[in-house]
Amino acid sequence: LTVTLLPETPARWSLPNGQSAPLDEALPTNPLDEIAYRMEHPATEVFRVDGGSGVDRWPLLVMDDFDGVTWRTDGRYRRLGAELPPGPEVTVRTSRERARITSAGTGGPWLPSQTWPAAVTGAAPRVAPRYGTLALPGSDGVAQYQLDWWQPQVDATTLGSAATDPDAPGAATPIPDVPPRIQEFADRVTQGRRPSFQTALLLENHLRTNYNRAEGEDLPTGHSWPQLDTFLFDSRRGTSEQFAAAYVVLARTQSIPARLAVGFRAPPPAAGTSTSVITNRDVLAWPEVAVEGVGWVPLDPYGKANGAPAPAGTGLAAQAEAARRQLPPLESLAEQPIAPIMPGGGAAGTGGGPGWPGV
């Protein structure tokens, strides 16, 4: 993964009027490659979060380009400026959320973020608005800052019957040179169903149900075609790296717009406080699926294998969990019409109220 750094200057404009500010620094590793190492050193603190109630995970880097060996991002970084709106693909109602983050260092310039950052105070990071990624030039991720972000609001029933977004940038592009038996495997799991969030959940459920968490000292690493082939057909065990990478390539073969995120799961706050301490044991890779009107919804094919608690709160991860619980068995599942999501966050005909893009 290669990025570029420019000298730091104050951000004096908002993103729509801003200039590109690419990063210019060769990074030694991709955070995706560090998952096994972090799992082997679980007690190391990475950052603390004060606030952010209901947040299930904190991404560092999001990637949607896979060449069969490496996942990459073509993120174009810009100065953050005063404030960002959510992306144009979000048409449902949004709420503005806030947390205070103290990072002890992420091993690269990335800062813990959310999909739709609104503003940052206390630091001057670059932002890749297509992904929500924040990067602090010239640092190893040590920072104290306040993050505001936009949280799309949608109920689980509506989400469970929603269409995926075929116009999602990057993640709707077919992955080239998919090995034939991986393509055939994806076809068998989805049984030729059309792309929808329900189909995305069916694919996720197959991995959650039939594959196991890798434990111990000999943890698998890597996410190239041979390593994914071994995971899917031979060992059937992996870290979240293999679960997430396998999910995204399988989803993309079925025209489900998906991308790969790596970061950390958010543990509950310490007793009697509002502060969560995130350590290496919380490291996680996960897929995100683009849902029409809602934007990027995080899934967790690794969750059941990991024994992680179900997400709490009202965020998209919690709504995805509720939609997951409502999913009937594949053999009794009849394809239903896909209802468009209205601006208020409900399906057409459900009486959803008027929405706004959050600005």
Side-chain angles (χ1 to χ4, degrees):
L1 180 67
T2 304
V3 284
T4 352
L5 263 195
L6 286 182
E8 184 66 39
T9 56
R12 301 188 181 278
W13 51 78
S14 59
L15 177 66
N17 298 319
Q19 304 262 334
S20 175
L23 304 175
D24 186 30
E25 180 181 80
L27 299 171
T29 59
N30 181 326
L32 190 63
D33 299 328
E34 298 179 326
I35 288 177
Y37 173 83
R38 289 187 183 274
M39 290 178 66
E40 291 167 350
H41 301 80
T44 303
E45 181 176 326
V46 185
F47 60 99
R48 297 184 176 217
V49 178
D50 186 25
S53 174
V55 172
D56 173 69
R57 62 201 79 180
W58 292 92
L60 289 183
L61 190 64
V62 180
M63 296 158 281
D64 55 18
D65 181 28
F66 182 56
D67 62 4
V69 177
T70 304
W71 282 95
R72 294 186 175 88
T73 175
D74 69 351
R76 299 178 183 179
Y77 289 85
R78 307 181 77 167
R79 292 181 176 85
L80 182 60
E83 184 174 287
L84 288 176
E89 52 267 58
V90 179
T91 60
V92 300
R93 182 179 290 113
T94 62
S95 62
R96 184 164 176 147
E97 309 293 335
R98 174 175 294 172
R100 183 79 184 170
I101 300 170
T102 303
S103 175
T106 59
W110 303 285
L111 300 181
S113 183
Q114 292 293 309
T115 303
W116 305 113
V120 173
T121 56
R126 308 290 195 256
V127 62
R130 174 165 152 179
Y131 306 99
T133 301
L134 298 177
L136 189 62
S139 83
D140 58 0
V142 176
Q144 286 187 317
Y145 58 100
Q146 177 180 285
L147 174 68
D148 288 39
W149 68 93
W150 304 111
Q151 179 62 57
Q153 302 293 312
V154 65
D155 65 86
T157 300
T158 300
L159 183 61
S161 62
T164 52
D165 184 356
D167 298 321
T173 305
I175 291 175
D177 303 321
V178 177
R181 78 167 177 165
I182 290 181
Q183 176 71 58
E184 292 163 5
F185 175 82
D187 294 342
R188 288 197 306 272
V189 172
T190 64
Q191 298 186 5
R193 293 177 178 274
R194 64 189 173 204
S196 68
F197 190 67
Q198 191 176 79
T199 305
L201 289 177
L202 287 171
L203 180 59
E204 180 200 49
N205 183 65
H206 186 85
L207 295 180
R208 288 169 69 96
T209 303
N210 296 289
Y211 291 79
N212 299 310
R213 175 185 181 177
E215 297 182 294
E217 297 181 359
D218 185 23
L219 294 175
T221 59
H223 44 263
S224 66
W225 286 130
Q227 290 152 331
L228 294 182
D229 186 275
T230 297
F231 168 69
L232 289 170
F233 303 112
D234 297 328
S235 72
R236 302 172 77 88
R237 63 184 285 274
T239 69
S240 64
E241 176 186 359
Q242 289 80 42
F243 274 83
Y247 180 91
V248 176
V249 297
L250 293 171
R252 296 266 282 272
T253 69
Q254 304 301 297
S255 301
I256 297 170
R259 64 188 191 180
L260 194 157
V262 59
F264 296 86
R265 196 185 294 279
T273 76
S274 61
T275 301
S276 296
V277 179
I278 290 85
T279 66
N280 277 347
R281 74 168 45 86
D282 302 308
V283 70
L284 185 69
W286 66 90
E288 297 181 337
V289 169
V291 174
E292 196 169 80
V294 179
W296 294 101
V297 177
L299 296 182
D300 193 3
Y302 185 61
K304 191 172 181 180
N306 188 33
T314 59
L316 292 181
Q319 297 306 318
E321 171 63 22
R324 188 179 294 123
R325 292 196 300 267
Q326 296 172 9
L327 190 69
L330 177 60
E331 58 272 15
S332 63
L333 187 64
E335 279 211 87
Q336 300 295 323
I338 299 175
I341 292 182
M342 303 302 288
T350 64
W356 54 87
V359 291

